[in-house]
Amino acid sequence: MKIATQDTVGRDELEDFLADKRKYVLMTTRSDGRPQMSPVTGALDDQGRLLISTYPTRAKVKNLLRTADCAVMAMSDDFDGPWVQLYGTADVLDGEQGVEALVDYYRAAAGEHEDWDEYRNAMRARGKVCVMVTLTDWGPVATGGIPPEFADA
């Protein structure tokens, strides 16, 4: 029997938890006020911000340009593993600023590229943008399962 957990963590513990997490669900706000959710991949940069690579025509980008507040659920590779809900403000970085942010994204997610000029040119050719989420708050690191108060029942 798996017992659910909720561990309140400070900023350093949060960043340690997020260091190897790449699977996120990004929640933005549609123009009619309803939530819009997107499964995305991302990485935590060395300044504690989430970096997400995407395209400028995606709904999430249009929503963030209108309303920068967002929420992100960072999940473990194992669906049944720990997760955390994050809150923040997003900046959509395009042009050369976006290309350099995408370099930071790649470094955070995968390390050094064998040819940074090739990578930069590919990002320019594809018109990619980088969503940079500055975290302002977060919930506990949680796991699913039976609530502790029912574990002995």
mmCIF file of all heavy atoms in Angstrom, residues 4 12 61 84 89 98 105 108 116 143:
data_model
loop_
_atom_site.group_PDB
_atom_site.id
_atom_site.type_symbol
_atom_site.label_atom_id
_atom_site.label_comp_id
_atom_site.label_asym_id
_atom_site.label_seq_id
_atom_site.Cartn_x
_atom_site.Cartn_y
_atom_site.Cartn_z
ATOM 1 N N ALA A 4 0.165 8.434 0.541
ATOM 2 C CA ALA A 4 0.381 9.752 -0.062
ATOM 3 C C ALA A 4 1.260 10.603 0.848
ATOM 4 O O ALA A 4 1.195 10.502 2.076
ATOM 5 C CB ALA A 4 -0.960 10.446 -0.294
ATOM 6 N N ASP A 12 15.900 25.916 -2.015
ATOM 7 C CA ASP A 12 17.020 25.042 -2.366
ATOM 8 C C ASP A 12 16.553 23.604 -2.591
ATOM 9 O O ASP A 12 16.973 22.945 -3.551
ATOM 10 C CB ASP A 12 18.105 25.077 -1.287
ATOM 11 C CG ASP A 12 18.848 26.404 -1.255
ATOM 12 O OD1 ASP A 12 18.781 27.162 -2.248
ATOM 13 O OD2 ASP A 12 19.496 26.680 -0.229
ATOM 14 N N VAL A 61 1.768 30.315 -25.948
ATOM 15 C CA VAL A 61 2.532 31.545 -26.159
ATOM 16 C C VAL A 61 1.587 32.737 -26.273
ATOM 17 O O VAL A 61 1.794 33.770 -25.633
ATOM 18 C CB VAL A 61 3.439 31.424 -27.402
ATOM 19 C CG1 VAL A 61 4.058 32.762 -27.764
ATOM 20 C CG2 VAL A 61 4.519 30.375 -27.154
ATOM 21 N N VAL A 84 5.339 18.337 -8.229
ATOM 22 C CA VAL A 84 5.146 19.592 -7.514
ATOM 23 C C VAL A 84 4.429 20.579 -8.423
ATOM 24 O O VAL A 84 4.633 20.588 -9.635
ATOM 25 C CB VAL A 84 6.497 20.176 -7.006
ATOM 26 C CG1 VAL A 84 7.400 20.591 -8.154
ATOM 27 C CG2 VAL A 84 6.267 21.345 -6.053
ATOM 28 N N THR A 89 5.610 33.717 -13.255
ATOM 29 C CA THR A 89 5.362 34.696 -14.300
ATOM 30 C C THR A 89 6.271 34.350 -15.472
ATOM 31 O O THR A 89 7.472 34.131 -15.278
ATOM 32 C CB THR A 89 5.668 36.113 -13.794
ATOM 33 O OG1 THR A 89 4.888 36.356 -12.625
ATOM 34 C CG2 THR A 89 5.339 37.154 -14.839
ATOM 35 N N GLY A 98 15.832 35.031 -27.546
ATOM 36 C CA GLY A 98 15.247 33.705 -27.454
ATOM 37 C C GLY A 98 16.239 32.609 -27.823
ATOM 38 O O GLY A 98 16.286 31.568 -27.168
ATOM 39 N N TYR A 105 18.612 26.641 -22.215
ATOM 40 C CA TYR A 105 17.687 25.508 -22.069
ATOM 41 C C TYR A 105 18.403 24.198 -22.408
ATOM 42 O O TYR A 105 18.344 23.229 -21.646
ATOM 43 C CB TYR A 105 16.477 25.731 -22.985
ATOM 44 C CG TYR A 105 15.690 24.488 -23.307
ATOM 45 C CD1 TYR A 105 14.763 23.978 -22.411
ATOM 46 C CD2 TYR A 105 15.866 23.818 -24.514
ATOM 47 C CE1 TYR A 105 14.033 22.837 -22.699
ATOM 48 C CE2 TYR A 105 15.143 22.673 -24.815
ATOM 49 C CZ TYR A 105 14.236 22.190 -23.907
ATOM 50 O OH TYR A 105 13.525 21.061 -24.202
ATOM 51 N N ALA A 108 20.980 23.222 -19.793
ATOM 52 C CA ALA A 108 20.357 22.754 -18.557
ATOM 53 C C ALA A 108 19.771 21.356 -18.724
ATOM 54 O O ALA A 108 19.809 20.546 -17.801
ATOM 55 C CB ALA A 108 19.270 23.738 -18.109
ATOM 56 N N TRP A 116 27.512 24.631 -31.375
ATOM 57 C CA TRP A 116 26.559 25.660 -30.947
ATOM 58 C C TRP A 116 26.088 26.529 -32.108
ATOM 59 O O TRP A 116 24.939 26.969 -32.120
ATOM 60 C CB TRP A 116 27.146 26.518 -29.827
ATOM 61 C CG TRP A 116 27.121 25.807 -28.520
ATOM 62 C CD1 TRP A 116 28.186 25.432 -27.761
ATOM 63 C CD2 TRP A 116 25.966 25.359 -27.802
ATOM 64 N NE1 TRP A 116 27.770 24.771 -26.627
ATOM 65 C CE2 TRP A 116 26.406 24.715 -26.628
ATOM 66 C CE3 TRP A 116 24.598 25.415 -28.045
ATOM 67 C CZ2 TRP A 116 25.529 24.156 -25.697
ATOM 68 C CZ3 TRP A 116 23.724 24.853 -27.114
ATOM 69 C CH2 TRP A 116 24.192 24.236 -25.967
ATOM 70 N N THR A 143 3.250 12.963 -3.481
ATOM 71 C CA THR A 143 3.069 11.673 -4.138
ATOM 72 C C THR A 143 1.634 11.241 -3.928
ATOM 73 O O THR A 143 0.985 11.634 -2.957
ATOM 74 C CB THR A 143 4.008 10.589 -3.572
ATOM 75 O OG1 THR A 143 3.723 10.407 -2.180
ATOM 76 C CG2 THR A 143 5.465 10.949 -3.771
#
